[in-house]
Amino acid sequence: MRILVTGSTGFIGAALTQYLGQQGHTVVRLVRKRHGFAEHEVLWNPQQGIIDSIGLAGCETIIHLCGENLLTGRWTKARKQRIYDSRVESTHFLCRCLSALSEQPKTLLTASAIAYYGNNGDTLLTEESPAGKGFLAELCQDWEKPVAPLTLKGVRGVQLRFGVVLSPSGGGLKQMLPFYRKGLGGVLGDGRAYLSWISLHDTLAAIHHCIQNEAISGPVNIVGPEPVTNQSFTQTLGAVLKRPTIFPIPSWLLQLRYGEMARELLLSSNRVLPKKLEESGFNFSHPDLHETLNHLLHPESTQ
């Protein structure tokens, strides 16, 4: 299958392009560079309204993953606008370009996030749960909307609502590890906020599952089957690293340092279940947090 990917240099995108290639697919990457193109690279720049539409032809599946990193610094008004535009406006642009093709792709998978549901304490959430409130929840709602016109043309649309993807090579875990390895890890706030996690390997396999299973459409929670509290995650990571986790970070300090980002990302509780993945027969390779972290951080002991 010929699959086009945006955001292919990001944490998930880079791993996904390699994974899909290993599964026998031809991967075409949408890239912003102006020269020095490698094979299967196609020019685009959504901010400037530039795309090589010819390069889109023949791609049966499109996977749209691009978006500015949420974790790099305080959310100023200007930065929130960049976060919004990098997701929502780029999705609008891509969908308009795909709609204009003489032949649309069969499937369009677009990134979203479980932040769609907002802060819900210990309430169990599935794809059927209502949208929440706040910057990230409303961002996710707007992020998912551009796909609708294409679905009316027969394109199968899948919105990938990512949870916390665990890998020492990127994402939140990579940022945590230096502190935990020094024995400086600790719970965030009261530690009761739920974290819905999934290993990077299961993330890639779940995306591939969504590509192959034509019965899947609409939102899909890309999370594992066992969400945990921040306290449980902290204790488990400390145990795997054999380091103490005795330095809690109070909510007021996080909000003083990171402002809105702390409230919406670090302290928000999302107890989300992968209902659609499980009902469609997906099997998780890493459903248990302790086993997953041990596999990721001590691979030599799990071989």
Side-chain angles (χ1 to χ4, degrees), residues 151-195:
T151 62
L152 294 176
K153 292 189 172 187
V155 177
R156 178 169 65 97
V158 179
Q159 294 81 53
L160 304 167
R161 291 179 180 167
F162 291 106
V164 177
V165 178
L166 298 181
S167 170
S169 65
L173 182 59
K174 181 181 180 181
Q175 297 191 25
M176 296 177 200
L177 284 175
F179 299 98
Y180 275 78
R181 282 173 169 152
K182 293 177 182 178
L184 299 176
V187 298
L188 304 182
D190 61 15
R192 292 184 292 184
Y194 271 86
L195 181 151

Side-chain angles (χ1 to χ4, degrees), residues 2 4 28 30 41-43 51-59 101:
R2 188 175 176 88
L4 183 142
V28 179
L30 273 185
E41 289 185 341
V42 176
L43 172 67
I51 193 166
D52 178 5
S53 297
I54 296 176
L56 305 180
C59 292
L101 295 176

Side-chain angles (χ1 to χ4, degrees), residues 46-287:
Q47 283 74 34
Q48 298 179 14
I50 296 171
I51 193 166
D52 178 5
S53 297
I54 296 176
L56 305 180
C59 292
E60 299 171 67
T61 296
I62 312 293
I63 306 175
H64 179 45
L65 299 176
C66 76
E68 183 164 332
N69 193 330
L70 296 173
L71 294 172
T72 54
R74 196 178 182 94
W75 290 355
T76 63
K77 183 177 179 180
R79 182 142 189 278
K80 285 170 67 175
Q81 190 62 53
R82 291 197 303 271
I83 289 171
Y84 185 93
D85 290 346
S86 69
R87 288 162 170 77
V88 179
E89 296 306 320
S90 71
T91 306
H92 272 295
F93 176 67
L94 178 62
C95 288
R96 288 195 301 270
C97 294
L98 294 176
S99 183
L101 295 176
S102 58
E103 183 177 352
Q104 275 78 49
K106 293 181 179 179
T107 304
L108 171 61
L109 293 86
T110 56
S112 184
I114 60 171
Y116 176 96
Y117 307 109
N119 186 352
N120 281 276
D122 61 358
T123 301
L124 286 169
L125 304 167
T126 70
E127 290 88 352
E128 298 167 358
S129 299
K133 296 181 180 180
F135 171 67
L136 285 183
E138 292 164 17
L139 167 66
C140 289
Q141 294 166 52
D142 290 349
W143 200 359
E144 296 182 5
K145 288 177 182 177
V147 179
L150 281 171
T151 62
L152 294 176
K153 292 189 172 187
V155 177
R156 178 169 65 97
V158 179
Q159 294 81 53
L160 304 167
R161 291 179 180 167
F162 291 106
V164 177
V165 178
L166 298 181
S167 170
S169 65
L173 182 59
K174 181 181 180 181
Q175 297 191 25
M176 296 177 200
L177 284 175
F179 299 98
Y180 275 78
R181 282 173 169 152
K182 293 177 182 178
L184 299 176
V187 298
L188 304 182
D190 61 15
R192 292 184 292 184
Y194 271 86
L195 181 151
S196 297
W197 62 275
I198 183 170
S199 72
L200 178 59
H201 177 274
D202 278 343
T203 298
L204 306 180
I207 295 172
H208 193 227
H209 177 78
C210 290
I211 294 172
Q212 293 184 305
N213 193 325
E214 294 184 0
I216 296 175
S217 63
V220 178
N221 294 330
I222 307 297
V223 296
E226 298 181 10
V228 298
T229 62
N230 175 262
Q231 182 175 23
S232 178
F233 181 88
T234 298
Q235 292 172 344
T236 303
L237 180 54
V240 168
L241 292 173
K242 297 182 172 57
R243 304 299 295 163
T245 53
I246 57 175
F247 293 98
I249 306 176
S251 299
W252 67 265
L253 184 58
L254 286 168
Q255 293 186 64
L256 181 65
R257 174 66 179 85
Y258 296 108
E260 186 177 9
M261 185 181 84
R263 294 190 298 274
E264 297 239 354
L265 270 183
L266 305 179
L267 299 171
S268 184
S269 184
N270 305 108
R271 193 182 182 190
V272 181
L273 298 178
K275 183 179 179 181
K276 280 193 178 179
L277 285 177
E278 292 186 317
E279 288 182 346
S280 61
F282 181 75
N283 293 313
F284 290 88
S285 297
H286 305 118

